[in-house]
Amino acid sequence: MASSTMAAGAAQSYRYTRPSGLDEGLLGLSTSGGTTSSGPQAHPHFFSGVLTRPAAAAAGLLALADVAQTRYFQPRPTSFRDPVVTCNGDRIRMESFSACGGVYARLDVLEAALDGEVHERGTTNVDVNGPLREALARVGGSDPLHLAVGAGEMAVTTMDGAVVEKKVPLPDRWLRGFAEVQVITAGFDPRGELGGPDAVRFLRSLPRGGRGPLWVVPAGRTLRVAARPSPGAVCLAGPDRLRTLLPLLRFAKALRVYGPPVAGGSGPVSSVWELELPGMRYVLTLSPQHSRGFSGEGAVLDAVSTDEAAGDADLLGALLSFEPRVEPGLLAERSGLPLARTKAALVQLGTSGRVGFDTAEAAYFHRELPYDPARVADLNPRLRSARALVAEGAVRFTAEDAAVVVGNGGERQVRFDGDRATCTCPWWYDHRGERGPCKHVLAARIVRRETSAEAAR
């Protein structure tokens, strides 16, 4: 019987009942379970059909595979990593992270580039290795590209034959990264757009080899690179991390960039770079610095440290059905929850990886990552440390907005100013809240919420 198990340190592994095969023109895929709109299935089949833009689709998938194989910080050889694939009905989304965890890539194959049958909606992860890459590299503009997506493997069939790929374990760093990216990018706005020819000129003009953060500012019909931030600018930390876009430029229709609000004295922040292809979008999200992976950003820590929205998230999660766009208003109506609570619950769902965020449509989308969502909290060492401080009784409030937290490093002073908090620990002085709260702030917030809840009873 097919099964999936969670290895102790790290990953999800799978067993298959039989190998995949090609018999008299019929490609049979062996699967090991998956999550679909109709519930868990032992051998689901998500999609079979033709990609109508074969060369662009093949190049996009190769770019996705290149990111998954690349370690941008301290480069060294690494193994292939497995993209996560979600069939949302009218589109197929393929997601991956770089080996260093600092670059998130997604290829959205939209309805205009798909011609086939959707058997189910759902999520799986797939392996992309050497033989598949070689097959994709030979796909030309007129070659038919047939795609079949099952729960445990993805097959791409060209005129040269068939290549079938199987699942491999999903790294813990990716698990945390999926949760962090959607929380961070949900607050981004469009900052600039270039047409195809201007996008090609801009991307080819970027400096090579620099690792420090640069800033990109809209300037007429193009984008200008600057050394310092200014209002409306977008951070570009490590221009070499955009090089995966270069092989796609021959298909480019537009380039769009997204980022958070910045001011003259802002520090480095994440950014989203979206290349529009015929019937597709290829998206890169960059961490704030070349040396920083998304798994350590800490954007989810406040949400996963509280149970306030957990019940609402469970309710909304049961109403999701792999929609390509999750509409908060419609969810609020269906669930009976106020709109504000619905939006808070969507954030909670994002921290467990159950929804992603699409900056192009400014909307969440439903996916179910192939791992236990509860592990996101367990994989965050700051949250584990904060809960340990609470259990030890190390938090003492000296005023409504001030607390003392006692740990191995001595006493730390935590002060609250509305939703913001500061601490006297070295972590706070190093990062000033830019990488999420420290363990002392987290512990104080947990105690303050528990105290408020007890007082309200």
Side-chain angles (χ1 to χ4, degrees), residues 281-312:
R281 292 192 292 259
Y282 182 74
V283 181
L284 290 179
T285 302
L286 308 183
S287 65
Q289 292 178 329
H290 206 280
S291 60
R292 283 164 61 172
F294 280 107
S295 61
E297 286 304 283
V300 306
L301 288 173
D302 280 328
V304 298
S305 67
T306 176
D307 295 328
E308 289 176 339
D312 291 347

Side-chain angles (χ1 to χ4, degrees), residues 11 46 83 111 143 149 157 160 172 286 311 320 343 429:
F46 292 126
E111 190 172 17
D143 292 337
V149 181
T157 306
D160 296 324
D172 281 348
L286 308 183
L320 297 177
K343 291 181 177 179
Y429 281 113

